[in-house]
Amino acid sequence: MPQTSWSPSTTQQLRKLVAAPYLPPNDWTPRSEAYFVFPLAQGTPGKQCGLAATGVYQPSLRSPWLAAKEQDCIANHHQGHARVAAVAGSGKTENMIELVWRTVSRGTPPGRILVILFNRDATNDFDVRLTRRFSQEEVNRESLRVRTFHALGKSICELFEKKKLLRNKSLETRGWVMDSMARATLKEAVGRVTNRFQGDSADLKDEFTSFIDIVKADILPAEDVFDKTSVQPTLKSLFLQAFALFEEERERQNIRFFTDLIADPVYLMYHQPKMREFIEDRVDLIICDEAQDMNPVQQKLVEYIAGTRANVVAVGDIDQCIYEWRGADPRHLLTEFSRHYHPVTNYQLSHTFRYGHKLSLMANHLIQHNLLREDTFCVSHESCPKTDVSLRWQRHDKLGRSVMQQIADQWIEDGNDWGDLAVLVRDNASATGLILELLSRDTPFNLKGNIEFLGNAPYADALLGLLHLLNGSFVACHLVCCFHCACPFLNMCAI
């Protein structure tokens, strides 16, 4: 595979990347004015690759005053709307907290500020850090609201229910209930629309479930939303019929799923603008974190709450948009926000405090392939550790160890701890092979996130059988046979 080096000769040339062939050093040691990077965007078909990164201290390309200046400008923002483009690890949470604190210091009551984050963990962390910041100045912040979108939607649903504007419904939090309802209504729609499809097909069911989420994330009718998706046009009548049946069943059972907490009140206010008066113009400042992942319904909710009074500050990074498959629209932060909330002050947080220059530059080169993005360039702060990066193809060594196990063994041999080693996988299926190998080698590990590699009963039986065989003499043979079978759940390279 051809290899390439990008060699910016000066700091001012960082945006103009020059490519030239080279043979990279084995130790990946950065030279004085050259940073060597593999072109990860051009993989070799049929092979997997592993990326390893470690770190010790490395000096900065740029002096720290710029990072401090960027942060101070954002924290001092006090007039009008604002858009903050923040690279990964740039300390945006601390900046949002400082913005809140300085806004209160200028006389805005804490109860007039609303901070919206994407998940409960982020909300809890922000709450703790915000309380710590306010306690330093002995200021009470109890009335200041820090909410997730779902918590905010739930409170609005309850308000509208009390006012008899929405029907009282119970919140259904069990994911399998929605899956079961989707499967049943899809199967019924198959019988009504066509017999060409299998209503219990796992792929078709998953695609329909995703379609439900996308419709609930948009303000448009289901028919218009379908036209924006990549679903086969031949499925349109089937999915629209199934979605209508799904909503009828939801009404019959008198329940809301998490997506309905936002969709139900927003749809009401969208079609009946007079209903917005119950929530609009109640706050002076709204801060939206991870704004690149906001979907159209969430955008409308913020718009309705802001009314004509509140300043809205959207903080995010287009390059970190990960929920387009669930209806997120990064164009909102990139262009539409400035059009709706005019005029807007634009800020940048361009320094990362998370990793060293080699990884920053590699990420910069890769992300240039994104067509829909800000004109941003990530630079590591001088306090960042040096991050060593290596790219390895998924090949087994003479001992039969995978790339992951080779890296892990070397990590331990170098005197490091298991607790300081992390393995990131693209999806749950990719994790299965790694989990089995770690188990077979008695390597201690903890699973983080929602990795349910034994979540499907038929596959669980097969995998438990494999684990039973791990003490046998034909383990490798059995694993090779299993991992080369046609089953999509186990369709990966053999251990």
Side-chain angles (χ1 to χ4, degrees), residues 423-437:
V423 178
L424 304 181
V425 294
R426 185 172 180 82
D427 51 38
N428 288 355
S430 300
T432 306
L434 302 180
I435 292 171
L436 288 173
E437 181 172 12

Side-chain angles (χ1 to χ4, degrees), residues 390-409:
S390 63
L391 181 69
R392 309 189 190 187
W393 295 116
Q394 181 74 307
R395 294 182 181 138
H396 294 74
D397 62 8
K398 295 179 179 179
L399 300 177
R401 299 179 303 172
S402 69
V403 167
M404 185 278 301
Q405 193 65 48
Q406 294 172 46
I407 294 172
D409 291 348

Side-chain angles (χ1 to χ4, degrees), residues 11-25:
T11 303
Q12 288 72 27
Q13 290 178 319
L14 285 176
R15 289 183 181 275
K16 298 180 180 179
L17 310 179
V18 180
Y22 86 108
L23 292 176

Side-chain angles (χ1 to χ4, degrees), residues 356-373:
H357 288 303
K358 190 180 291 186
L359 189 55
S360 289
L361 289 174
M362 183 173 67
N364 285 322
H365 289 297
L366 284 177
I367 210 65
Q368 295 297 323
H369 292 278
N370 274 8
L371 300 179
L372 190 66
R373 67 185 304 268

Side-chain angles (χ1 to χ4, degrees), residues 77-82 103 107-114 145 276-277 279-287 302-313 340-343:
H77 176 82
H78 64 279
Q79 189 171 6
H81 308 293
T103 300
T108 300
R112 289 282 186 179
I113 299 174
L114 171 64
R145 287 165 289 181
R276 302 172 196 173
E277 66 184 28
I279 67 168
E280 65 183 359
D281 296 329
R282 299 294 200 275
V283 295
D284 294 331
L285 174 64
I286 302 174
I287 301 176
V302 173
E303 177 186 328
Y304 296 157
I305 295 173
T308 59
R309 175 174 182 157
N311 292 327
V312 179
V313 177
H340 180 78
Y341 299 100
H342 185 76

Side-chain angles (χ1 to χ4, degrees), residues 378-481:
C378 177
V379 178
S380 296
H381 188 262
E382 67 168 7
S383 62
C384 287
K386 173 185 174 183
T387 304
D388 293 323
V389 181
S390 63
L391 181 69
R392 309 189 190 187
W393 295 116
Q394 181 74 307
R395 294 182 181 138
H396 294 74
D397 62 8
K398 295 179 179 179
L399 300 177
R401 299 179 303 172
S402 69
V403 167
M404 185 278 301
Q405 193 65 48
Q406 294 172 46
I407 294 172
D409 291 348
Q410 186 62 53
W411 179 259
I412 300 303
E413 289 174 10
D414 291 342
N416 300 298
D417 296 327
W418 285 115
D420 294 326
L421 178 63
V423 178
L424 304 181
V425 294
R426 185 172 180 82
D427 51 38
N428 288 355
S430 300
T432 306
L434 302 180
I435 292 171
L436 288 173
E437 181 172 12
L438 291 170
L439 288 171
S440 68
R441 297 180 182 276
D442 293 326
T443 303
F445 67 93
N446 289 315
L447 288 178
K448 300 293 184 181
N450 297 318
I451 298 179
E452 299 178 358
F453 82 111
L454 292 179
N456 186 297
Y459 304 142
D461 292 339
L463 290 173
L464 288 173
L466 287 176
L467 295 177
H468 180 71
L469 290 170
L470 287 178
N471 291 325
S473 59
F474 298 97
V475 175
C477 177
H478 284 289
L479 291 176
V480 167
C481 291

